[in-house]
Amino acid sequence: MVSCQSTRRPDTCHGPSPLVIGTPLNAGTPRCLGLASAKIHGTHAMSTKLDISMRPTQAEFPATRLRRTRSAPAVRALVRQNTLTVDDFIWPVFVRSGEGIEEPIPSMPGVFRRSVDKVVEAAREAADLGIPAICIFPYTGIEERTEDCAGAWDSDNHANRAIRAIKAAVPEIAIMTDVALDTYNINGHDGFVENGEIVNDRTIDALVKMTLSQAEAGADIIGPSDMMDGRIGAMRTALESAGHHNVMILSYAAKYASAFYGPFRDAVGASGALTGDKKTYQMDPGNSDEAMRLIERDLAEGADMIMVKPGLPYLDICRRARDTFGAPTFAYQVSGEYSMIKAAAHNGWIDEDRVMLESLMAFKRAGCDGILTYFAPAAARILNG
Ligand code: PBG
């Protein structure tokens, strides 16, 4: 155990420590644990901040009055630990067939299904606001869905056409995709269904084809949201073999079987289509350690970044992921989270802008590098002043 001067902040000290999380600390002795090497579930998390073990040193009242640093906007700005900026956002958008269409989604006020030309306009607007990335989700009508899900890797599907069109018109914005079969599947599942079972390995072959078609269309970040086992390794190998060395994978590593996705399933046309639930592949909301195993596995298979989804109800998972792995960590503030804020604001029960920004700041506080959020343009407009 390394101890440090009481005048130094705990997180500025260096040196290995045998600390295992849960070790009781002598509160009277200042400890230097900020950069400890901790053994967390078999993983050596070097240079990881362990806020859990910080013991800030402070004098007795009235020498210490914590309200001093809250007394004026200037001081509050100085001591603010986390900040929210436009750089933190990935904006999910829905693309559909047709031209000149911006179709409102009733369960997600302010969100639209756009035809490719309109998605390009939206991407232009996002880039002008400084939003670094856009994430494309296809909406498909029931007539576009098949059992073999062949639309998913059709180089000419709405999503791939949108990728090409955005790349041509708005080259500065990063494009993320969705890899899962649900929007092309007759039964709304993320994988193939055989005799009532969502099959893993055959689905991976399809996900790999989908990945390659998106990379060929010009996607920068592939977003597998399917939760099949082994897909990250298969996708990474395929991308490398096809020469897409710089195409990133942002793995939906810890994705829970959540009721908060309700409005999204309306948005992509999957609500009516879905038979049963997704509990055999998405995570049980009661589990936390399993999320760490999934994230570790996906990173080991070659994910560049990882995601926790949904967002606000799972901030504990974001924090654990950040502290344990230190990889670029994202959260998805999903449709249900968005729509709840919109609905309460619509009723005059909360202040929409303030709740929006506070909810987004929560992700930064929980250790996220960024947030997928439908609020991205609205928040950007406020943050840009
Ligand atoms: C589908 C997918 C879902 C979301 C993103 N990709 C829904 C689901 O798993 O059924 C949810 C996003 C949201 O609710 O905003 N693979």
Side-chain angles (χ1 to χ4, degrees), residues 163-177:
I163 294 170
R164 278 193 211 93
I166 294 170
K167 267 291 153 202
V170 194
E172 70 269 34
I173 202 161
I175 304 178
M176 177 171 166
T177 63

Side-chain angles (χ1 to χ4, degrees), residues 245-293:
H245 309 300
N246 291 326
V247 171
M248 292 158 271
I249 299 176
L250 200 178
S251 170
Y252 287 61
K255 176 173 177 180
Y256 287 83
S258 172
F260 285 95
Y261 308 147
F264 173 97
R265 291 182 188 163
D266 280 348
V268 297
S271 306
L274 184 64
T275 49
D277 58 46
K278 299 193 175 184
K279 291 180 184 168
T280 66
Y281 46 109
Q282 299 181 349
M283 276 184 66
D284 185 321
N287 293 351
S288 170
D289 292 348
E290 186 186 358
M292 299 304 109
R293 296 176 70 197

Side-chain angles (χ1 to χ4, degrees), residues 16-347:
S17 156
L19 176 81
V20 172
I21 282 190
T23 304
L25 290 173
N26 174 353
T29 315
R31 298 291 186 193
C32 165
L33 302 168
L35 293 169
S37 159
K39 194 153 171 42
I40 306 167
H41 291 271
T43 304
H44 286 280
M46 297 296 292
S47 305
T48 298
K49 277 194 183 168
L50 300 176
D51 290 346
I52 192 173
S53 50
M54 282 174 71
R55 287 293 181 277
T57 302
Q58 58 199 34
E60 295 291 308
F61 173 83
T64 292
R65 285 182 189 271
L66 289 168
R67 287 184 57 188
R68 280 186 206 118
T69 53
R70 282 182 241 139
S71 59
V75 221
R76 289 197 292 273
L78 275 176
V79 303
R80 186 168 301 126
Q81 237 185 310
N82 296 288
T83 47
L84 181 68
T85 78
V86 175
D87 289 339
D88 298 322
F89 300 143
I90 299 176
W91 183 31
V93 293
F94 300 102
V95 58
R96 52 154 292 156
S97 58
E99 227 192 288
I101 300 173
E102 259 178 338
E103 177 186 20
I105 299 163
S107 55
M108 299 179 74
V111 178
F112 301 87
R113 300 182 191 116
R114 295 174 165 93
S115 51
V116 171
D117 55 324
K118 290 289 178 184
V119 165
V120 172
E121 282 176 25
R124 174 78 271 151
E125 193 190 329
D128 290 347
L129 284 165
I131 295 170
I134 197 164
C135 181
I136 294 168
F137 288 98
Y139 161 81
T140 47
I142 198 77
E143 70 290 348
E144 296 171 88
R145 295 160 172 270
T146 57
E147 210 160 315
D148 67 3
C149 305
W153 52 92
D154 179 346
S155 64
D156 212 30
N157 66 27
H158 316 319
N160 287 335
R161 282 193 294 114
I163 294 170
R164 278 193 211 93
I166 294 170
K167 267 291 153 202
V170 194
E172 70 269 34
I173 202 161
I175 304 178
M176 177 171 166
T177 63
D178 183 52
V179 173
L181 301 183
D182 56 336
T183 34
Y184 302 95
N185 205 343
I186 194 86
N187 52 51
H189 278 290
D190 292 8
F192 291 121
V193 181
E194 288 173 13
N195 303 321
E197 184 188 344
I198 291 87
V199 295
N200 196 87
D201 301 9
R202 187 158 79 84
T203 297
I204 290 188
D205 296 340
L207 300 175
V208 166
K209 285 193 266 182
M210 197 173 177
T211 300
L212 290 175
S213 83
Q214 294 172 349
E216 271 144 36
D220 301 291
I221 305 170
I222 306 293
S225 68
D226 55 283
M227 289 294 281
M228 297 299 123
D229 283 324
R231 88 270 208 222
I232 302 297
M235 289 165 54
R236 172 53 71 212
T237 304
L239 286 169
E240 285 292 324
S241 319
H244 298 298
H245 309 300
N246 291 326
V247 171
M248 292 158 271
I249 299 176
L250 200 178
S251 170
Y252 287 61
K255 176 173 177 180
Y256 287 83
S258 172
F260 285 95
Y261 308 147
F264 173 97
R265 291 182 188 163
D266 280 348
V268 297
S271 306
L274 184 64
T275 49
D277 58 46
K278 299 193 175 184
K279 291 180 184 168
T280 66
Y281 46 109
Q282 299 181 349
M283 276 184 66
D284 185 321
N287 293 351
S288 170
D289 292 348
E290 186 186 358
M292 299 304 109
R293 296 176 70 197
L294 286 163
I295 293 167
E296 182 172 37
R297 191 266 320 263
D298 285 2
L299 289 170
E301 288 184 20
D304 302 281
M305 310 180 254
I306 58 99
M307 190 203 295
V308 174
K309 178 182 173 190
L312 279 194
Y314 295 86
L315 286 184
D316 57 321
I317 307 299
C318 298
R319 170 49 64 194
R320 268 190 87 178
R322 153 65 53 198
D323 288 347
T324 309
F325 302 107
T329 302
F330 291 78
Y332 198 142
Q333 183 179 48
V334 300
S335 55
E337 300 175 64
Y338 172 85
S339 298
M340 289 194 311
I341 293 175
K342 285 301 239 189
H346 177 77
N347 280 301

